[in-house]
């Protein structure tokens, strides 16, 4: 350990500084980035500059009055803690006893010199007598002998004086106090003088705050990078985006020779040249590719930056790599500006390949993996393409509510939103009213009612008495209602007279749910503003554990006024094709990653959407085909007219029969939602599904029923209560308009384009039965 870097030499002659550099320079250098702020004229500044010069690490000095020394680990040695605290205090008297001034007598000068010598002696004593036993005791508390002997020496001195070297607190006291503060397992109860002294030391201003490792970002000295590669809002360090570097002309060769600053997380780090330098693979999340950064040991302690997961900000010169290497360029570091350490021994995201299932258990860290970061970029690109597609076609983006009182799908698999459960535990403790109490309350109502009648029938009516009697009657009725309501409480929940849960006292005064679709609500805007769309989260409480179901997922739902089913199919087809082309143009490197790691067909599948028109076939024609096919191919689900096609049927049509995306339309009315327009055959509705290879159904849509009498009949047929849908019927009562729309499950689009198998891995924070992390 370095107790304050042997601070006795801070004020020494040049020869003593030379001795210090020779003896301790190699030990000080690995402690380089803790940020010390002190006057440039301070002894510490002079010594640090001398050490850095001797060790050839000038780049670690910050221009100005601040010095940047880098720390190898987050643990600060006790001596360094004292050095940092004292340097920050800015009080020179902590460094030396008060020196004699120019007008001092010989006696004063002699006293000051002796006091300074005392500081030196105690620091020498600390080095020779206390440090080694303290380090041994820290590793092995069963060996306290050396520390005990040193503390006994301190006790003998401190019985007679307040501080060690003089009549006030000095660097000697700070250094030794810091070491004793670190010996938590050594009891000082038998040493009252030391305990008093240590308490006094710890009360000093420079000791009042605990020294801690600071991850401070040092300002970069590199020039502002070209706009084409610069990261926005990073002017403090002028950071360049790694993707922009790697995609520049010649894979970055056009930027060779430039001084750049990059920041990111270390994917892999390896020391080379017998520890003389290290290669870091740094990724900032902008692309799947990493930028290789070479760091020499003279720039930074290599062991502190090579661990996977470490965050680094590095500046240096971009240079071309030798012919035949993986990357065209690498950054040769001249300075490490920031290190966010990562303990590789406990870091959950190791270098080795991890299963996607395991990554769901560390959901807060999984975005750092290649797979999930690539999914995030694809998801972002598809979301942007979605808004771009509809905005370019003058659709209005409408925010529909997450809380609804209507079931769009009619399946009843909805999460309920309620506050009545919050009072259940207290309500259970309340005794229900007795029957005789209710009878007595009702009789009281009769009595109060007779009183009102009598007063009203009198020849000379007293309005004040009548009003008072009426008020008493109303209160009596309220009491009866409250008693009856309390009597209907079961398990702490309120019930109505007909045995149903009473939601009149709930937050929304009625049953409310998380939406399964924003379609019904967005139709209200389509019937006023023509073409609109909504894009947001939806929820379903289906207790499904398949790889294709989530409890929370995102839907894109456009509505087109004055459009029929054919217009709807055209829009859906063009939208899916637009998204796929956008990925090919903007995320091709991510698609290549998925092709290599997960699905060899993913790029050709996406290209197939872009380059082919979708095949269209009616439901009846599709079933006829499948009926013939099932004579030769065994399906798990039997095919006949009227069934809802299973995923295996949908995929067979898209993957085997037509070998491209397929639109099936005109489905039986009994398997589709009530709002879909009834066809003239009275058996089918104008509904359509887009089926794609690898997924099956990707899009579901329909022409909406604009005829109010037909819609009312359909609501009745599917046994939905008409009251919650009166507003929906109003859209048909007042200026009804033919309109169509569709819904696309956003996560399914990502599954289709990436080849990822489980839908839980294409949404940032998956919710499914039993799991709702973060």
């Amino acid at each position: 350990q370095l107790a304050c870097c042997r601070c006795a030499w801070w004020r020494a002659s040049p020869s003593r500084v030379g001795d210090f550099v020779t003896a301790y320079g190699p030990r000080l250098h690995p402690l380089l980035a803790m940020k010390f702020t002190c006057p440039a004229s301070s002894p510490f500044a002079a010594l640090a500059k001398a050490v850095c010069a001797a060790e050839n690490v000038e780049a670690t000095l910050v221009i100005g009055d601040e010095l940047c020394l880098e720390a190898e680990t987050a643990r600060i040695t006790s001596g360094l803690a004292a050095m940092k605290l004292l340097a920050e205090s800015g009080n020179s008297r902590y460094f030396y006893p008060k020196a004699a001034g120019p007008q001092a007598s010989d006696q004063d000068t002699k006293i000051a010199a002796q006091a300074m010598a005392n500081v030196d002696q105690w620091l020498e004593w600390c080095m020779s007598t206390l440090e080694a036993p303290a380090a041994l005791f820290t590793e092995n508390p069963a060996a306290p002998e050396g520390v005990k002997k040193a503390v006994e020496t301190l006790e003998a001195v401190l019985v007679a004086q307040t501080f060690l070297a003089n009549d006030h607190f000095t660097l000697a006291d700070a250094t030794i106090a810091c070491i004793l503060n670190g010996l938590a397992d050594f009891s000082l109860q038998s040493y009252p003088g030391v305990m008093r002294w240590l308490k006094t030391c710890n009360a000093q201003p420079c000791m009042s705050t605990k020294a801690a490792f600071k991850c401070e970002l040092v300002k970069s000295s590199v020039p502002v990078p070209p706009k084409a590669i610069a990261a926005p809002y990073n002017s403090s360090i002028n950071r360049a985006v790694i993707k922009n570097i790697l995609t520049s002309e010649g894979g970055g060769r056009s930027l060779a020779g430039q001084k750049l600053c990059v920041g990111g997380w270390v994917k892999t780090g390896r020391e080379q040249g017998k520890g003389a330098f290290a290669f870091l693979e740094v990724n900032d999340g902008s692309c799947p590719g990493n930028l290789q950064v070479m760091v020499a040991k003279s720039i930074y302690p290599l062991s502190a930056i090579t661990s996977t997961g470490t965050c680094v900000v590095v500046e240096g010169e971009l240079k071309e790599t030798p012919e035949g290497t993986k990357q065209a360029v690498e950054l040769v570091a001249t300075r490490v500006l920031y290190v966010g350490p990562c303990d590789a021994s406990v870091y959950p995201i190791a270098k080795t390949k991890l299963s996607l299932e395991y990554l769901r258990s560390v959901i807060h860290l999984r975005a750092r993996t290649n797979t999930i970061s690539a999914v995030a970029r694809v998801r972002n690109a598809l979301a942007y393409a979605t808004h771009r597609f509809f905005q370019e076609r003058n659709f209005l983006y409408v925010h529909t509510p997450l809380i609804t009182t209507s079931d769009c799908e009619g399946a009843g698999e909805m999460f309920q939103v309620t506050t009545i459960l919050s009072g259940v535990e207290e309500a259970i403790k309340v005794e229900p009213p007795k029957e005789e109490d209710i009878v007595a309350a009702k009789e009281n109502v009769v009595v109060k009612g007779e009183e009102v009648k009598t007063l009203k029938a009198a020849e000379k009516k007293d309005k004040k008495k009548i009003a008072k009697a009426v008020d008493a009657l109303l209160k009596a009725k309220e009491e009866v209602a409250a008693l009856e309501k309390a009597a209907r409480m079961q398990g702490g929940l309120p019930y109505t007279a007909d045995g149903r849960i009473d939601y009149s006292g709930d937050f929304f005064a009625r049953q409310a749910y998380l939406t399964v679709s924003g379609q019904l609500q967005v139709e209200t805007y389509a019937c006023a503003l023509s073409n609109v769309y909504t894009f947001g989260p939806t929820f379903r409480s289906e207790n499904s554990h398949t790889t294709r179901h989530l409890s929370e997922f995102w839907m894109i739902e456009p509505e087109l006024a004055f459009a029929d089913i054919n217009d709807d199919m055209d829009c859906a087809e063009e939208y899916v094709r637009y998204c796929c082309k956008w990925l090919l143009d903007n995320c091709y490197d991510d698609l290549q990653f998925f092709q290599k790691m997960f699905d060899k067909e993913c790029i050709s599948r996406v290209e197939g959407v872009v380059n082919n028109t979708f095949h269209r076939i009616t439901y009846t024609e599709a079933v006829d085909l499948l009926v013939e096919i099932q004579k030769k191919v065994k399906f798990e689900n039997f095919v006949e007219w009227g069934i809802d096609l299973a995923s295996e049927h949908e995929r067979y049509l898209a993957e085997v029969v037509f070998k491209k995306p397929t639109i099936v339309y005109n489905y039986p009315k009994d398997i589709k939602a009530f709002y879909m327009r009834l066809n003239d055959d009275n058996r089918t509705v104008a509904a359509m599904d887009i089926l794609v290879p690898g997924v099956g159904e990707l899009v579901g849509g329909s022409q909406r029923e604009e005829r109010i009498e037909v819609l009312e009949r359909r609501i009745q047929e599917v046994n939905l209560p008409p009251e919650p849908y009166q507003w929906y019927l109003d859209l048909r009562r007042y200026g009804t308009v033919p309109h169509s729309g569709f819904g696309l499950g956003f996560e399914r689009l990502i599954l289709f384009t990436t080849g990822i198998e489980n839908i839980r891995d294409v949404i940032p924070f998956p919710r499914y039965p039993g799991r709702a992390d973060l």
Side-chain angles (χ1 to χ4, degrees), residues 45-215:
L47 179 63
K49 289 176 182 177
V51 172
C52 291
E55 291 296 301
N56 194 28
V57 288
E58 297 91 337
T60 60
L61 291 178
V62 178
I63 298 174
D65 284 351
E66 293 184 350
L67 293 170
C68 180
L69 296 184
E70 302 163 0
E72 186 173 13
T73 66
R75 181 175 59 82
I76 300 176
T77 61
S78 57
L80 286 174
M83 179 172 65
K84 181 176 186 300
L85 292 168
L86 289 169
E88 288 183 340
S89 73
N91 192 333
S92 62
R93 73 194 295 267
Y94 289 152
F95 291 90
Y96 325 110
K98 186 176 182 181
Q103 307 300 322
S105 64
D106 291 342
Q107 181 65 22
D108 291 337
T109 302
K110 185 176 180 180
I111 292 173
Q114 181 59 49
M116 295 169 76
N118 289 343
V119 173
D120 284 355
Q121 289 172 5
W122 276 112
L123 289 170
E124 292 287 356
W125 175 86
C126 175
M127 177 180 64
S128 62
T129 306
L130 178 59
E131 282 188 337
L136 177 62
F137 178 78
T138 302
E139 296 177 2
N140 181 17
E145 292 78 11
V147 174
K148 183 178 180 181
K149 183 177 179 181
V151 172
E152 288 174 349
T153 300
L154 291 173
E155 179 69 16
V157 172
L158 293 169
V159 165
Q161 59 192 62
T162 304
F163 295 106
L164 292 172
N166 199 2
D167 58 357
H168 68 264
F169 181 77
T170 67
L171 188 60
D173 299 283
T175 303
I176 297 172
C178 279
I179 293 177
L180 293 183
N181 283 334
L183 302 178
D185 294 332
F186 185 84
S187 175
L188 295 173
Q189 296 297 326
S190 302
Y191 309 98
V194 173
M195 287 186 66
R196 172 198 50 76
W197 164 82
L198 187 60
K199 185 176 181 180
T200 304
C201 288
N202 288 334
Q204 298 298 312
C206 70
M207 301 284 284
S208 62
T209 55
K210 184 180 179 182
F213 182 77
K214 287 188 178 181
C215 296

Side-chain angles (χ1 to χ4, degrees), residues 715-771:
I715 290 175
Q716 186 176 8
E717 286 176 3
V718 296
N719 296 318
L720 287 175
E723 292 80 12
Y725 298 96
Q726 288 306 308
W727 66 267
Y728 192 65
L729 292 168
D730 279 351
L731 299 178
R732 280 72 180 168
R733 288 190 183 98
Y734 311 120
T736 186
V737 59
H739 60 286
S740 301
F742 63 84
L744 178 142
F746 192 52
E747 284 71 30
R748 291 199 173 191
L749 179 59
I750 302 172
L751 290 179
F752 169 69
T753 55
T754 63
I756 297 289
E757 293 185 353
N758 198 314
I759 199 169
R760 298 171 184 177
D761 301 317
V762 297
I763 190 170
F765 305 100
R767 271 77 174 105
Y768 50 94
R771 295 299 291 267

Side-chain angles (χ1 to χ4, degrees), residues 418-430 489 491-494:
T418 180
T419 59
I420 61 175
L421 295 178
S422 59
V424 166
E425 292 184 1
E426 292 299 320
I428 291 175
K429 299 175 184 178
V430 178
M489 294 287 288
L493 295 175

Side-chain angles (χ1 to χ4, degrees), residues 512-774:
Y513 308 91
L514 293 180
T515 185
V516 297
S517 170
Q519 178 210 313
L520 298 187
Q521 287 84 356
V522 84
E523 279 189 54
T524 66
Y525 275 70
C527 293
L529 304 174
S530 297
N531 293 350
V532 297
Y533 73 103
T534 183
F535 181 13
T538 56
F539 309 84
R540 190 163 298 179
S541 62
E542 182 180 3
N543 190 20
S544 173
H545 293 268
T546 72
T547 59
R548 291 292 185 268
H549 288 90
L550 286 168
S551 299
E552 178 184 336
F553 51 97
W554 284 62
M555 292 288 293
I556 296 104
E557 297 173 296
E559 285 292 319
L560 297 75
F562 309 102
D564 63 12
I565 186 64
N566 293 306
D567 298 319
D568 198 36
M569 289 189 285
D570 291 342
C571 180
E573 178 176 345
E574 188 177 348
Y575 164 65
V576 174
R577 182 177 294 111
Y578 185 98
C579 286
C580 288
K581 188 174 188 310
W582 186 266
L583 283 188
L584 292 173
D585 292 342
N586 296 278
C587 287
Y588 197 79
D589 51 357
D590 287 305
L591 293 180
Q592 286 179 315
F593 168 80
F594 290 117
Q595 179 176 255
K596 177 182 177 182
M597 303 301 296
F598 292 95
D599 184 356
K600 291 181 171 57
E601 305 297 325
C602 78
I603 292 181
S604 61
R605 189 168 58 244
V606 173
E607 290 175 336
V609 171
V610 174
N611 299 327
N612 293 293
T613 58
F614 294 8
H615 187 84
R616 299 187 184 187
I617 185 174
T618 67
Y619 170 87
T620 301
E621 292 169 340
V623 168
D624 290 344
L625 271 175
L626 291 170
V627 168
E628 291 301 314
I629 290 170
Q630 77 177 352
K631 295 177 181 177
K632 303 174 184 178
V633 177
K634 186 177 181 181
F635 293 123
E636 289 185 12
N637 299 277
F638 186 75
V639 181
E640 61 181 348
W641 199 94
I643 69 161
D644 193 1
L645 295 180
S647 179
E648 60 174 334
H649 306 140
E650 296 169 341
R651 294 185 61 177
Y652 195 90
L653 289 171
E655 296 171 11
V656 181
V657 178
F658 302 111
K659 295 183 174 61
K660 62 179 180 178
T662 302
I663 303 179
V664 179
Y665 62 99
N666 287 347
Y667 280 81
K669 67 175 184 178
D670 293 336
I671 62 172
K672 289 297 181 179
F674 71 93
Y675 51 77
M676 298 183 177
R677 194 182 198 280
L678 189 66
N679 288 327
D680 293 340
D681 59 12
N682 207 37
R683 298 175 67 222
T684 62
V685 289
M688 66 89 179
D689 289 339
I690 295 182
L691 316 179
V692 294
V695 173
E697 181 191 340
L698 179 64
V699 175
S702 71
Q703 183 175 343
R704 315 310 189 191
E705 183 58 77
E706 83 279 7
R707 299 164 294 185
I708 187 170
E709 68 280 358
V710 179
L711 187 58
E712 287 176 327
R713 188 168 70 249
R714 288 289 291 144
I715 290 175
Q716 186 176 8
E717 286 176 3
V718 296
N719 296 318
L720 287 175
E723 292 80 12
Y725 298 96
Q726 288 306 308
W727 66 267
Y728 192 65
L729 292 168
D730 279 351
L731 299 178
R732 280 72 180 168
R733 288 190 183 98
Y734 311 120
T736 186
V737 59
H739 60 286
S740 301
F742 63 84
L744 178 142
F746 192 52
E747 284 71 30
R748 291 199 173 191
L749 179 59
I750 302 172
L751 290 179
F752 169 69
T753 55
T754 63
I756 297 289
E757 293 185 353
N758 198 314
I759 199 169
R760 298 171 184 177
D761 301 317
V762 297
I763 190 170
F765 305 100
R767 271 77 174 105
Y768 50 94
R771 295 299 291 267
D773 298 335
L774 276 65

